[in-house]
Amino acid sequence: MRTVTIECHIGKSSDTFETPSGFLGDVSFLRDHFFAGSDGVINLVPRNRIPEGPIVGAQAQVVDALDLHFAVERLAANPPGATRVSRVALILANSYRPRKSVFGVMFDRGQPTKDDPNDALEFTATPREGCAIFVDAIQRLRHDPIEFDKEVEFTTVHELGHLFNLDHLESPPSFMATSLVTRSHNFDHFQFTHGQHGWLAECATNRWVYPGGSPFVPVSAENTPCRRPVVHSEAPKVDLRIGIENAVFACAAPVEMDVTLSSAADSAHVLRIPDRLDPGYEEFIVWITYPNGNRCRYRSPRRYCSPQVKLTLKPGQSIARDISIFAGAGGTTFATPGIYHLRAEFDLGTRGRVVSNEIVVEAVANRRLLTPERMALLLDPSVRSLLYHRRDKGGRNILPLLRHHLQADPQGVGANDIRYALVRTLYGRGMRATEAQAVRDDIELIWSIPGTLGRRQLHHLQTMHQKSIRDSKRPEP
Ligand SMILES: [Zn+2]
C-alpha cells in the first residue's frame, strides 16, 4: 500500500500565549494518531516552526479567517491553485474572532462561509490545507493543566481530521466527536473508527480525502466501502525508501539523501540484485520536480562503468546508502529557493522496477539561514567539490580552511555538514594519531548537536569513531 507523506507545518499566530506543552518538541502525537488511524497510509510529518516566531503579529490576540489564510500561505507555501498538496498548516492562536468559544476550526473549506467570507480564488482554489486551534477558548473550560493538554491534543487531531474531509461523528467514540463543555473526552475517543480508518487509508488515491483535492464536503465514513487496491502476492516484496534529514535547508547546503532498499521479512525469496544503488548508474534514477514544476532526472556528476556485481538480499535485510545530491552534472541541484519533490526508482532487472516514497523539501535563500562567512564558504567551488567527493583534490588545501572556519563559527546551520565532510575526507586518506584525535573530537561535537545529519551519516560516524579509537591504541611505528 502506498504511503502518503504530508508535512504538517505548525506555527503560532502571536507571542501572546504560552506554547502548550504538546507543541514544545517534535509533536509526535500527530504522526502517531494519523499513521495508526489510516492503517499506515498517512505519514503526517510534524514540522514545528513555532520557534521561528509569530506568523500573524507579535500582539495579535484574536485572529479572523483572513489572518489564518495568510498564515497558511506562509507556513504551507504551496503553489497557487494546487489541487493536491504535500504540505498543510496548523496554526495555534488565542481565539477566533467570528466565534470566540470555538476550540478549533478547519476554515479552509474551498468556498466562502459566514465566518470566512473570503472568496478570492487565492483562498478557495486549494481547499483543506490549513486549520487552527484556539488555546484561550480551551483554557477557559479546561483549568486543570492535564485536562488542558488532553483537550489540545484531541482538538488538534480533530481539526486535522476535518482536513481529510471527515465529518463529526458522536458514536462510536472517536476523534471526530464534538468536544464536551464540562470535561475532555475519555481516552477511548483518542482513535479513529473502523470506517474512518478505511476513509483515511484512501488518501493516496481519493481526491475527496487528500488535502487540496476537493472542497470541504465532510463524510462520516461509517459506511465507506473498502476500496483499497489489491496487493498481488507474487509481486516482489521489496521496498525502496528515501529521506532527507532536514526538509528545510539553505540552497547551498551539502544535502545528503538516505536511501534504503529492503526486503520484507515475510518474503519467500532471497533476491540477487545489482549493486547499483547510486545515481551514477543507469539502474538508479532520482526524479526531481523543481519549484517551477519541471520534472527532471537528477544527473550525477559521476558515471560508473563497472561490471555487474550482484548483492544478496535475504528476507528482512536491507541495504542503505547516503547519496550527495546537492551537486549534479548540471551544477547546484537546489539552486533556486522553493519546494522540491523527490522520488527514486530502482531497476531490479527481471523483477521489474521498484518506486520509492516521495519526499518534499524546501530550499531556502542562503542569506536567510547562513552567516555571510558560511555562505561564502559553501559557494566556493573548491569547497563544494570537497564536500561532494569527500576528497581534497590538490590545488588549494581546503581542509585547513574548513577547520579554521569551524573554529571561528562552530555552530549554526551547515556546521555539522561541513564537519562531516571534513571527517570523511580525513578518514578516507588515512590519519595520523593527532588527526585521529581531532576526528574523534569532531564526531563527538556532531553528536552533541542532534538532528542535523541523516541516519546513514550517523552510522558512518559511529564506525569511524570506533576505528579511530582502535588506531590510537596501536603503537606508533
Ligand atoms: Zn469539528
Side-chain angles (χ1 to χ4, degrees), residues 378-452:
L378 287 175
L379 291 171
D380 182 310
S382 317
V383 173
R384 292 186 76 71
S385 168
L386 180 132
L387 291 172
Y388 188 86
H389 297 281
R390 298 166 191 144
R391 252 182 303 136
D392 206 358
K393 292 175 117 184
R396 293 164 59 202
N397 199 357
I398 301 296
L399 287 174
L401 189 72
L402 296 185
R403 174 69 71 203
H404 185 258
H405 171 82
L406 287 174
Q407 269 157 8
D409 191 4
Q411 300 264 347
V413 174
N416 269 353
D417 300 288
I418 298 171
R419 206 167 271 125
Y420 178 78
L422 189 71
V423 166
R424 290 280 308 251
T425 309
L426 281 170
Y427 184 83
R429 69 177 193 193
M431 292 171 290
R432 293 184 293 272
T434 48
E435 282 177 337
Q437 181 59 52
V439 159
R440 239 175 4 258
D441 292 345
D442 280 326
I443 294 174
E444 284 158 18
L445 204 53
I446 292 174
W447 286 340
S448 72
I449 311 168
T452 46

Side-chain angles (χ1 to χ4, degrees), residues 244 246-256 326 332-338 340 361-371 374-375 378-379 384 412-415 417:
I244 288 176
N246 292 302
V248 180
F249 48 77
C251 288
V255 179
E256 301 266 331
F326 62 94
T332 302
T333 306
F334 305 103
T336 30
Y340 292 74
V361 296
E362 180 177 6
V364 176
N366 291 320
R367 60 175 194 288
R368 281 183 53 199
L369 290 182
L370 303 172
T371 60
R374 185 154 298 154
M375 187 168 126
L378 287 175
L379 291 171
R384 292 186 76 71
V413 174
D417 300 288

Side-chain angles (χ1 to χ4, degrees), residues 29-44 157 164 166 175 190-203 209 221 228:
F29 70 86
L30 285 189
R31 184 187 230 151
D32 297 346
H33 289 313
F34 278 93
F35 199 76
S38 64
D39 299 329
V41 171
I42 297 175
N43 179 29
L44 190 68
V157 178
F164 294 96
L166 283 176
F175 279 119
F190 282 60
Q191 59 169 344
F192 289 101
T193 66
H194 184 69
Q196 289 163 348
H197 272 241
W199 178 259
L200 293 172
E202 290 185 21
C203 189
V209 182
R228 262 170 272 159

Side-chain angles (χ1 to χ4, degrees), residues 104-106 155 158-159 162 166-168 175-179 216:
V105 65
M106 203 294 283
T155 303
H158 175 102
E159 295 310 329
H162 284 320
L166 283 176
D167 203 355
H168 289 160
F175 279 119
M176 298 318 293
T178 35
S179 286
F216 182 53

